[in-house]
Amino acid sequence: MRPIKARISLDAMAHNLRIARQHAGSAKVIAVVKANAYGHGLSRALRALVAADAFAVLTMEEAANLRQMGIQQPILLLEGLFSVEELQLCTDLDVWPMIHCRQQIDWLKQRPAARPLNLFVKFDSGMHRLGFALSEFDAVMAELQSLPAVGEITLMTHFAQADESAGIAPALQAFQQHAGPTQLAWTTANSAALLRYPEARGDWVRPGIMLYGASPFTEIPAAELGLKPAMKLQSEIIAVQQLKAGDCLGYGCAFRAEQAMRIGVVACGYADGYPRHAPTGTPILVDGQRTRTLGRVSMDMLFTDLSTLPDARAGSPVVLWGEQLPVEDVAHAAHTISYELLCALAPRVRVEEI
């Protein structure tokens, strides 16, 4: 059996949810489990996060899966409706859609008013991705509140720079100038805002990446935030090669040895979800000791430097990320973010729960 596998800790996810609750204060917690729970597996994440007050997903299919798995808590659709037909599914599954555009309001007007539907209404506070302009706030709210098909409304925005030094102050102030006078429930805080800005808590918070034990900040490690990594991606050395000075390594000769050295071949590649663009120098653990990758990642294998690890051999354990090697460190070296690495875990990788 190929040695690569991902070990998923339910206890770590449950621990991270408790950290989210500590930061949330009196706000309720919506656990974001979109993208197959950020690559960790939806069903296992639900078992770990069962104490959440609500769940957030991207699609109606994901919402239906949650209901089939026995989830009774509210479910929020983070991109809202994709067709008028999904309104009936929202009723059948008791799902809360997020409303962010005029077309969705038009669909609501077509909906029978037998059972009012609870909504989250999103306003754009500076990201310019989804949401009504704040200048439309009064008109949008008046229209929605006039519809018999609409029940409770929760106001929502999403910050563009909660994880950066620019922060959230202008965006939060602009949002609250409109939301505050309504006295409606509101939500603004993703993981970064929840951890850094208590003024953004509102009535609901929406932790995502922190539930899986990764930091939303480039400058603050997850451990410093009290988070525990839920995923450990591990494999083994499957071959050892000796290079002479001048020898090249792998496709495109992307690495050339300046002196004689030992290298290890690891059973892990981009078809497993490891980033192909990870350059020479990306951190990796062999026999529990940090070393570096070398050359270009191929589909099924990558190379690691064994120059300082004389005892490493075929069969030596390798950690691609997890405990002792934060996924953020790998992401930083590969010029990406931990979200992408976790979500990219390939279906062919065996998963074990611990």
Side-chain angles (χ1 to χ4, degrees):
M1 184 179 294
R2 194 160 174 263
I4 186 170
K5 61 183 176 182
R7 305 187 75 200
I8 308 293
S9 171
L10 274 60
D11 287 344
M13 280 190 269
H15 165 85
N16 298 331
L17 177 60
R18 290 192 291 270
I19 296 295
R21 280 206 180 280
Q22 291 171 13
H23 285 272
S26 61
K28 294 181 180 179
V29 175
I30 303 173
V32 180
V33 294
K34 62 180 179 176
N36 196 29
Y38 289 51
H40 292 70
L42 185 59
S43 63
R44 65 179 62 91
L46 295 179
R47 281 180 276 128
L49 304 174
V50 67
D53 300 299
F55 293 91
V57 294
L58 203 69
T59 67
M60 194 66 72
E61 290 80 6
E62 290 173 317
N65 285 341
L66 263 62
R67 290 292 184 232
Q68 290 171 3
M69 294 173 188
I71 291 298
Q72 300 297 315
Q73 292 99 316
I75 299 172
L76 170 63
L77 287 179
L78 286 169
E79 284 186 1
L81 306 165
F82 295 102
S83 69
V84 67
E85 289 77 17
E86 289 191 335
L87 278 168
Q88 185 59 50
L89 291 172
C90 285
T91 300
D92 295 343
L93 296 171
D94 192 20
V95 169
W96 299 349
M98 190 266 284
I99 302 299
H100 62 81
C101 67
R102 174 60 54 184
Q103 183 181 46
Q104 293 171 335
I105 295 180
D106 292 340
W107 291 340
L108 284 168
K109 291 178 180 178
Q110 301 175 38
R111 180 180 181 275
R115 182 180 171 189
L117 195 63
N118 294 338
L119 308 176
F120 278 53
V121 183
K122 190 168 191 177
F123 290 91
D124 175 24
S125 59
M127 181 173 277
H128 301 305
R129 194 172 63 177
L130 294 181
F132 298 98
L134 284 169
S135 60
E136 299 180 89
F137 187 93
D138 291 341
V140 167
M141 292 304 298
E143 188 168 8
L144 286 171
Q145 289 174 323
S146 73
L147 297 179
V150 174
E152 294 182 9
I153 291 177
T154 299
L155 304 175
M156 178 179 181
T157 195
H158 192 68
F159 299 122
Q161 294 180 288
D163 58 339
E164 299 177 1
S165 59
I168 67 168
L172 181 60
Q173 182 181 16
F175 175 77
Q176 288 184 327
Q177 282 177 347
H178 293 84
T182 69
Q183 298 187 333
L184 293 172
W186 56 278
T187 175
T188 65
N190 61 356
S191 292
L194 174 59
L195 289 166
R196 182 171 275 175
Y197 302 106
E199 65 269 28
R201 288 173 181 166
D203 299 278
W204 295 89
V205 296
R206 311 188 306 272
I209 192 66
M210 68 177 291
L211 297 178
Y212 309 100
S215 173
F217 309 112
T218 57
E219 77 281 11
I220 305 175
E224 195 171 308
L225 299 168
L227 304 174
K228 296 181 179 180
M231 181 190 294
K232 180 181 182 182
L233 183 62
Q234 63 185 68
S235 189
E236 293 180 2
I237 300 289
I238 58 172
V240 174
Q241 302 288 354
Q242 299 283 345
L243 299 185
K244 305 185 299 294
D247 282 352
C248 70
L249 190 62
Y251 287 118
C253 289
F255 176 82
R256 191 176 296 275
E258 295 181 355
Q259 58 192 14
M261 62 188 300
R262 292 174 76 236
I263 63 98
V265 182
V266 181
C268 177
Y270 60 78
D272 300 299
Y274 197 86
R276 182 182 182 274
H277 54 275
T280 290
T282 300
I284 190 171
L285 295 184
V286 178
D287 281 336
Q289 299 181 68
R290 186 176 286 225
T291 182
R292 60 176 181 152
T293 64
L294 299 171
R296 186 173 296 167
V297 176
S298 56
M299 183 179 289
D300 310 306
M301 290 169 279
L302 55 83
F303 303 104
T304 183
D305 188 353
L306 303 181
S307 298
T308 61
L309 302 172
D311 296 328
R313 63 194 187 283
S316 289
V318 172
V319 174
L320 290 310
W321 59 71
E323 290 180 298
Q324 300 178 306
L325 181 57
V327 66
E328 304 98 278
D329 290 3
V330 180
H332 178 73
H335 307 291
T336 184
I337 55 176
S338 57
Y339 304 68
E340 182 181 13
L341 300 188
L342 297 175
C343 291
L345 186 72
R348 77 177 191 178
V349 176
R350 287 182 296 128
V351 176
E352 295 180 357
E353 290 181 15
I354 57 172

